[in-house]
Amino acid sequence: MAIKIINQVINQSAIAYQCQELAALVTRHTDGKGNGFHKTAIEQLEFQRESSVSTTLQGVCEPILAILVQGKKEALLGEETYLYGAAQYLVVSVDLPLSAFIVEATLDQPYLGFKLNLDPRQLCDIITAQTSVIEGKKKNSVRGLFVSTVDTPLLDCAMRLTRLLDTPQDIPILAPMIIREIYYRLLMGEQGEAVRQIATSGSNMQRIAEVIKLIKGDLYKADAG
C-alpha cells in the first residue's frame, strides 16, 4: 500500500510538472496576441488564452480534445455542469450546444487551453488497425461530453506537438504522427468508448450528431429567410 501511495504521489508530481511545461509553451505562443482562440501552423491545433473570469463562450461545439493547462472553466450542457481545472481534459465526441464560463483567470495567471479538433476519419483508421486491442478495453457508459484527469503519456504528446511550432519544417511529417498517437492514447484511456463513438457509424452519438446538424441547418435557413 505504501509503495502504491508513493507511486501515485510521483505520478501526480510528474503530471503537475508537465502541465507547467505545457503552460509555459502555450504562454509563449499566445503572449501579446490578446484573449480568445489562436490558430497555429498545425491546422487542427488551437490555443485559448483568457485573462478575465467574465469571459463567456456559447455555441455548438464540434468534436474536440481540450486540455486545460492553467486556470479553471465551467461547461454547461443542458442541466449538467462540468467544472474542470489544470491537468484535466475535456472531450466532446459529438456536435453539442454548449455554454462555457472561465471561472479562474487573471492578467498574471491567465486561463490557458490546448485544443485539438478531432477528425473522425483518422480515428476510424486507428480503430480499424487496432481492433483487437481497442475492443478489449472495458466499455463505459457513453456520453457526448466528458472530463477526465490527464495522464503523462497524453501530456507528453501535447507538449511534443506544441514544440513542433518552433520547427515548422518538421510539421508536415511529424505532426500527423503525434496527432495519431494522441488519438490512440484517447482510445486506450478510461473514456475510450466515448471517443470511439466519434468514428463509429450508426452509433448513438452519431445519430445525435445528425439530429443536431439538421437543427443547425434549419436555424441557418430561418436566419437567412
Side-chain angles (χ1 to χ4, degrees), residues 2-223:
I3 294 176
K4 183 178 180 180
I5 293 174
I6 291 172
N7 287 335
Q8 288 177 339
V9 172
I10 292 173
N11 185 52
Q12 290 172 354
S13 297
I15 290 173
Y17 179 76
Q18 283 182 303
C19 201
Q20 290 174 356
E21 279 195 288
L22 184 55
L25 290 170
V26 174
T27 295
R28 181 158 59 83
H29 287 289
T30 59
D31 195 30
K33 295 182 179 180
N35 294 326
F37 288 95
H38 304 285
K39 294 185 179 297
T40 72
I42 300 171
E43 184 178 0
Q44 291 175 244
L45 178 64
E46 296 180 11
F47 299 135
Q48 185 182 7
R49 181 185 181 119
E50 304 289 348
S51 60
S52 171
V53 294
S54 63
T55 303
T56 301
L57 306 168
Q58 290 182 315
V60 175
C61 185
E62 297 180 348
I64 61 164
L65 160 68
I67 300 176
L68 205 164
V69 295
Q70 187 169 279
K72 289 182 180 179
K73 179 186 274 188
E74 185 178 86
L76 303 180
L77 175 60
E79 296 181 354
E80 293 186 79
T81 300
Y82 300 83
L83 179 65
Y84 57 111
Q88 289 185 296
Y89 69 95
L90 175 143
V91 167
V92 176
S93 62
V94 62
D95 290 9
L96 291 173
L98 293 178
S99 296
F101 306 90
I102 307 300
V103 296
E104 185 178 291
T106 66
L107 286 172
D108 294 332
Q109 293 286 318
Y111 169 96
L112 299 172
F114 170 105
K115 175 189 171 187
L116 187 70
N117 296 311
L118 301 178
D119 187 334
R121 293 170 298 179
Q122 293 178 343
L123 277 167
C124 189
D125 288 343
I126 297 174
I127 292 170
T128 302
Q130 300 288 340
T131 300
S132 60
V133 177
I134 293 170
E135 286 190 345
K137 296 292 291 180
K138 181 180 178 181
K139 293 187 178 182
N140 298 315
S141 59
V142 178
R143 295 173 295 167
L145 179 153
F146 64 84
V147 173
S148 292
T149 299
V150 73
D151 57 21
T152 52
L154 186 57
L155 267 175
D156 179 65
C157 289
M159 286 193 295
R160 283 188 282 119
L161 187 64
T162 302
R163 289 193 184 108
L164 282 183
L165 297 174
D166 292 328
T167 55
Q169 70 275 12
D170 296 332
I171 290 176
I173 301 299
L174 298 182
M177 296 170 62
I178 298 174
I179 291 173
R180 185 178 177 86
E181 183 180 348
I182 288 174
Y183 289 165
Y184 176 76
R185 297 295 179 190
L186 290 173
L187 286 164
M188 295 303 291
E190 63 180 2
Q191 300 290 352
E193 182 62 18
V195 177
R196 182 189 175 101
Q197 296 296 326
I198 300 173
T200 306
S201 62
S203 68
N204 290 333
M205 290 296 100
Q206 286 290 332
R207 285 192 285 271
I208 292 171
E210 291 303 318
V211 171
I212 291 174
K213 285 180 181 178
L214 288 173
I215 293 172
K216 288 167 63 179
D218 291 341
L219 289 174
Y220 175 79
K221 290 177 183 178
D223 290 340

